[in-house]
Amino acid sequence: MEKFPAAVAMVAEHKDIEMQMSSPEVLANPDKLRSLGRRYAELGRVVGRYQKWEQAQRDLDETREIVEMGGEDGELFASEIPRLEEIATSAASDLRDALIPRDPDDLRDAILEVKAGEGGEESALFAGDLLRMYQRYAESMGWATQILSATTTDLGGYKDVQMAVKAKSVPEDPAEGVWAHLKFEAGVHRVQRVPVTETQGRIHTSAAGVLVFAEVDDPGEIEINDNDLRIDVFRSSGPGGQSVNTTDSAVRITHLPTGITVSMQDEKSQIKNRESAMRVLRARLRQKQLDEQAAAEADARRSQVRTVDRSERVRTYNFPENRISDHRTGYKAHNLDAVLNGDLESVINSLREMDESERLQNATEQ
């Protein structure tokens, strides 16, 4: 009989985290509590299946003992063994599936960034369409969104915009996490349509880039030395560069060792802009660490797009044909209007199914 030592270790960790979450120190630290809660939920899926298997195996063993003892009870319970064996086998299979390694970030919240690329003002307008698409999708999923920073254009588009997407509670199943859904959105999104600036009615192709970072909910996860930061303050500016604030409330933080720079200006408070900038900086630094680790281990972690070039597309939005195409899975549908209104589930599920298939195949090969 299998013992599932990995599950036993997870059960012990689950109990330990449960004790930590009830301690005054953790209860007084919302960031730590959320971090532990995410891991607790992740382990809970395995713990629940382990307990179900353990009970099924116990029932089967006890019934076998009664049958081996013979007598009237033995004869009575003998017919139960095939049914109990089937239950125990099914429970063991479910437990094995739960033990297959998955992305440890699936339960994390996310920071999503949309950047205009080739195509000038049309690309900026498309970036705005993508932002609204993600906002509506998040709303349909019951998530909360917060614009952290945005640089707009004269026609109402976005040169770049950063948005935090947060689950209102930690899901029990990691597959239902924010990151589990949005991580596949990273890449170049291409649009084909007649721009509002086009006078000849010709169809143009432009692109916008999407970056997605798993949010660091416990600042202690990422060590940042204050001496490694250069913090500049300046006045907020709107479209065309005109000043929209009379105080130096905008903040630009540069992480000197990596050169990563984050600017925030949407809040009137310098303190709030700094807090938002640090959220994004921590997420970017963590992603950089993961990318470096993946490269060192030759892992198959998907890299995110760093340039917004039409040739590096992951998805195409064709307005004349009302068609959306994902070039990674071959998914195509003629419901672009619904997708841009937030009906992204079918597109995202095609990517999740592809990832699940690869995950199961890797587990089988190992």
Side-chain angles (χ1 to χ4, degrees), residues 3-144:
K3 297 296 184 181
F4 297 108
V8 173
M10 290 182 176
V11 169
E13 184 183 356
H14 190 261
K15 290 180 180 178
D16 180 62
I17 290 177
E18 189 171 38
M19 292 178 62
Q20 291 185 56
M21 290 173 66
S22 63
S23 70
E25 294 81 5
V26 171
L27 290 173
N29 187 338
D31 292 332
K32 185 66 175 178
L33 183 61
R34 185 170 184 84
S35 178
L36 287 173
R38 187 183 67 245
R39 178 59 176 165
Y40 186 78
E42 181 183 348
L43 293 169
R45 182 166 175 265
V46 173
V47 171
R49 295 191 183 193
Y50 176 78
Q51 291 172 340
K52 184 178 180 181
W53 167 80
E54 197 175 36
Q55 182 62 54
Q57 194 62 49
R58 189 183 301 116
D59 292 343
L60 176 59
D61 292 342
E62 290 175 354
T63 302
R64 282 172 173 168
E65 288 180 8
I66 294 174
V67 172
E68 289 174 2
M69 291 172 62
E72 292 184 7
D73 287 344
E75 294 177 5
L76 182 64
F77 281 92
S79 61
E80 282 291 294
I81 289 183
R83 182 181 69 85
L84 294 174
E85 286 178 336
E86 185 177 343
I87 292 174
T89 299
S90 176
S93 177
D94 288 344
L95 178 55
R96 288 190 205 95
D97 288 346
L99 286 169
I100 295 175
R102 63 179 308 120
D103 189 335
D105 289 342
D106 277 349
L107 277 171
R108 287 182 184 265
D109 296 323
I111 292 177
L112 187 145
E113 184 172 350
V114 185
K115 289 178 172 288
E118 296 181 9
E121 186 67 54
E122 163 63 4
S123 177
L125 290 171
F126 178 52
D129 292 336
L130 291 177
L131 173 67
R132 286 183 287 275
M133 176 183 74
Y134 290 125
Q135 287 174 320
R136 290 164 181 163
Y137 176 63
E139 182 181 356
S140 73
M141 297 295 291
W143 301 332

Side-chain angles (χ1 to χ4, degrees), residues 119-239:
E121 186 67 54
E122 163 63 4
S123 177
L125 290 171
F126 178 52
D129 292 336
L130 291 177
L131 173 67
R132 286 183 287 275
M133 176 183 74
Y134 290 125
Q135 287 174 320
R136 290 164 181 163
Y137 176 63
E139 182 181 356
S140 73
M141 297 295 291
W143 301 332
T145 60
Q146 176 191 2
I147 300 297
L148 299 177
S149 177
T151 304
T152 57
T153 63
D154 293 330
L155 293 183
Y158 288 91
K159 292 180 180 178
D160 61 79
V161 56
Q162 294 167 330
M163 179 175 70
V165 185
K166 195 178 191 70
K168 294 179 180 178
S169 60
V170 179
E172 292 184 2
D173 187 349
E176 298 307 314
V178 174
W179 175 257
H181 285 79
L182 294 182
K183 60 185 174 182
F184 303 110
E185 292 305 294
V188 170
H189 295 240
R190 185 178 68 165
V191 62
Q192 296 171 326
R193 65 182 177 188
V194 178
V196 294
T197 54
E198 169 59 48
T199 59
Q200 304 284 327
R202 294 172 297 186
I203 296 174
H204 287 221
T205 298
S206 59
V210 176
L211 298 173
V212 190
F213 305 97
E215 176 136 33
V216 179
D217 43 26
D218 182 0
E221 287 184 64
I222 301 296
E223 292 186 12
I224 300 179
N225 191 325
D226 289 343
N227 294 329
D228 289 337
L229 300 179
R230 185 178 70 233
I231 301 176
D232 302 306
V233 295
F234 54 97
R235 293 185 181 181
S236 301
S237 61

